């Protein structure tokens, strides 16, 4: 049955309309969890607020399990799901550059749009920066074209690289995430700050 | 409804994570791809350059390769939705307010400069890494993509490693 657009159950235009609705859900959930606050997001890296870790990994696990079960029930064809390809050097290099941007800016692209929507001017500045950064990439593309396309590995899954089944891989990731949640809860007590109210309370 | 203007509490993060995961699953079920954010900016930049400097766009390598990219893309519509959804949640919770959010020991000016520079890095890195925290890390991890895990580890590992040097911005 799913994905609906690949199986031509909905038209490309309906797909775009649903993208808008899905975006509303995405933005609403991000904001309700305080992803519109740069101090909350940055708190991840100082331990005083580990909401990012909890929301991010719970979402990833929910997504993994959801895909597994929907595939089991025949609701979605996993072979039609897009797997982002792995170009190892640019995946690492891009990630490192994004990490610098995260600790300096306090946002990532999705959260900055969410924060700007409730009036955060620092998020607006960050968005201005994203546009400049993307323009820098496209304008100076010949400079990094080779690096961008180097070490292409296809679209491997972590599970196949480790020689595990999808289910066992997911179970392992859930166990790792539970361990990280425990560390996160500990860190919020250990690194709590007088000038910062967790969950606005 | 209380009379004082204190904003409402945030959602429980584990519940929030499950809801975000459900949004992600719906995105997979509808479009076959997950969520994203930086791709929308790329579409706007490519369309913008093609409109403002068509001559240049015809000659530069990147725009030639991406000439079929347009504003009528899935991620552009999704990100418009993010603006609406974020605004709705902020309105319901009483969090709509123009402000510059910053650490207690940093000036507003420095904060805005750091935010802009951070955005430039994130914009550049997201294109190099073929997606940002949403499209590459979160969506990639949900489909168990090796690249998703690598990018996630690189983003968070670097931010943790540099946190000490950026502490004046946040602590």
């Amino acid at each position: 049955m799913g994905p609906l657009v690949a199986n031509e159950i909905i038209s490309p235009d309906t797909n775009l309309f649903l993208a808008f609705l899905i975006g509303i859900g995405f933005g609403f959930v991000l904001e309700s969890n305080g992803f519109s606050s740069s101090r909350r997001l940055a708190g991840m890296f100082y331990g005083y607020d580990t909401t990012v870790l909890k929301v991010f990994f719970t979402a990833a696990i929910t997504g993994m399990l959801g895909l597994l079960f929907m595939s089991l029930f025949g609701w979605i064809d996993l072979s039609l799901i897009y797997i982002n390809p792995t170009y190892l050097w640019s995946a690492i290099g891009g990630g490192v550059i994004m990490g610098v941007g995260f600790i300096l800016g306090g946002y990532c692209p999705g959260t900055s749009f969410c924060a700007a929507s409730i009036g955060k001017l620092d998020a607006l500045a960050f968005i201005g920066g994203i546009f400049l950064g993307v323009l820098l990439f496209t304008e100076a593309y010949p400079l990094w074209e080779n690096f961008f396309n180097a070490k292409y590995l296809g679209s491997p899954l972590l599970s196949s690289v480790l020689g595990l089944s999808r289910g066992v891989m997911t179970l392992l990731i859930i166990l790792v995430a539970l361990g990280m949640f425990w560390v996160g809860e500990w860190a919020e007590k250990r690194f709590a700050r007088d000038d910062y109210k967790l969950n606005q309370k | 409804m209380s009379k004082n203007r204190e904003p409402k509490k945030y959602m429980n993060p584990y519940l929030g994570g499950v809801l975000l995961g459900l949004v992600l699953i719906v995105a997979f079920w509808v479009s076959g791809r997950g969520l994203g954010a930086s791709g929308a900016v790329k579409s706007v930049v490519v369309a913008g350059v093609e409109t403002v400097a068509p001559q240049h766009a015809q000659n530069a390598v990147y725009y030639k390769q991406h000439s079929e990219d347009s504003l009528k893309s899935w991620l552009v519509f999704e990100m418009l939705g993010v603006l609406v959804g974020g605004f709705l949640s902020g309105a319901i919770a009483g969090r709509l307010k123009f402000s510059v959010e910053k650490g207690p020991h940093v000036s507003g000016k420095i904060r805005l400069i750091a935010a802009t520079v951070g955005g430039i890095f994130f914009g550049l890195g997201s294109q190099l890494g073929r997606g940002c925290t949403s499209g590459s890390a979160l969506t990639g991890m949900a489909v168990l993509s090796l690249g998703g895990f690598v990018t996630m580890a690189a983003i968070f590992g670097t931010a943790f490693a540099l946190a000490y040097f950026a502490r004046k911005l946040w602590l």
Side-chain angles (χ1 to χ4, degrees), chain A residues 18-37 55 109-118, chain B residues 10-11 16 19-24 27 35-37 74-75 77-93 95-96 134 138:
Chain A
L18 292 176
F20 180 65
L21 296 185
I22 288 168
I24 291 178
F26 187 23
F28 194 96
V29 173
L30 286 179
E31 208 293 319
S32 310
N33 283 283
F35 277 41
S36 49
S37 159
V55 173
T111 52
S112 67
F113 277 83
C114 169
S117 78
I118 66 160
Chain B
Y10 292 130
M11 188 181 279
L19 292 179
L20 181 56
L22 292 177
V23 173
L24 181 59
L35 299 167
W74 205 89
L75 288 178
F77 280 84
E78 183 228 59
M79 286 309 291
L80 290 173
V82 166
L83 289 173
V84 175
F87 178 83
L88 286 177
S89 166
I92 291 169
R95 283 192 285 267
L96 296 182
S134 315
L138 176 63

Side-chain angles (χ1 to χ4, degrees), chain B residues 50-83:
Chain B
E50 282 173 348
T51 309
V52 174
Q55 205 69 34
H56 169 65
Q58 273 177 12
N59 295 319
V61 188
Y62 190 84
Y63 306 106
K64 273 195 284 189
Q65 288 176 5
H66 292 80
S67 56
E68 72 287 357
D69 271 26
S70 80
L71 286 179
K72 204 180 158 188
S73 81
W74 205 89
L75 288 178
V76 168
F77 280 84
E78 183 228 59
M79 286 309 291
L80 290 173
V82 166
L83 289 173

Side-chain angles (χ1 to χ4, degrees), chain A:
Chain A
M1 193 173 161
L4 298 183
V5 75
N7 288 326
E8 298 186 345
I9 293 167
I10 55 170
S11 71
D13 281 348
T14 310
N15 188 27
L16 292 180
F17 176 67
L18 292 176
F20 180 65
L21 296 185
I22 288 168
I24 291 178
F26 187 23
F28 194 96
V29 173
L30 286 179
E31 208 293 319
S32 310
N33 283 283
F35 277 41
S36 49
S37 159
S38 52
R39 284 194 82 192
R40 186 169 175 85
L41 297 168
M44 172 76 224
F45 305 111
Y46 300 96
Y48 64 79
D49 188 331
T50 61
T51 306
V52 170
L53 170 86
K54 298 178 205 168
V55 173
F56 192 80
F57 276 90
T58 310
I61 290 169
T62 306
M64 282 173 211
L65 282 174
L67 288 178
L68 269 181
F69 278 102
M70 286 174 69
S71 155
L72 186 69
F73 300 150
W75 295 349
I76 198 163
D77 182 350
L78 287 186
S79 68
L80 295 176
I81 295 287
Y82 175 77
I83 311 284
N84 34 344
T86 301
Y87 294 80
L88 195 57
W89 299 150
S90 56
I92 296 172
V96 166
I97 295 173
M98 286 189 265
V100 176
F102 209 155
I103 199 68
L104 287 179
Y107 293 108
C108 58
T111 52
S112 67
F113 277 83
C114 169
S117 78
I118 66 160
K120 295 282 170 73
L121 300 173
D122 47 325
L124 213 53
F126 188 88
I127 292 173
I130 303 176
F131 274 91
L132 290 176
V134 173
L135 187 66
L136 180 63
F137 178 82
T138 57
E139 284 297 319
Y141 183 67
L143 282 182
W144 24 69
E145 189 175 6
N146 285 335
F147 182 70
F148 184 61
N149 292 313
K151 200 75 179 167
Y152 174 59
L153 305 178
S155 298
L157 300 184
L158 181 65
S159 45
S160 43
V161 172
L162 298 177
L164 300 169
S165 73
R166 244 189 140 96
V168 172
M169 189 73 242
T170 303
L171 177 66
L172 277 181
I173 292 166
I174 291 173
L175 293 176
V176 170
L178 289 176
M180 289 196 300
F181 295 156
W182 185 83
V183 173
E185 299 289 349
W186 169 83
E188 283 177 0
K189 292 190 189 76
R190 171 71 178 73
F191 301 106
R193 301 182 61 74
D194 295 335
D195 58 23
Y196 183 83
K197 286 188 286 182
L198 200 61
N199 298 328
Q200 299 187 334
K201 277 282 162 180

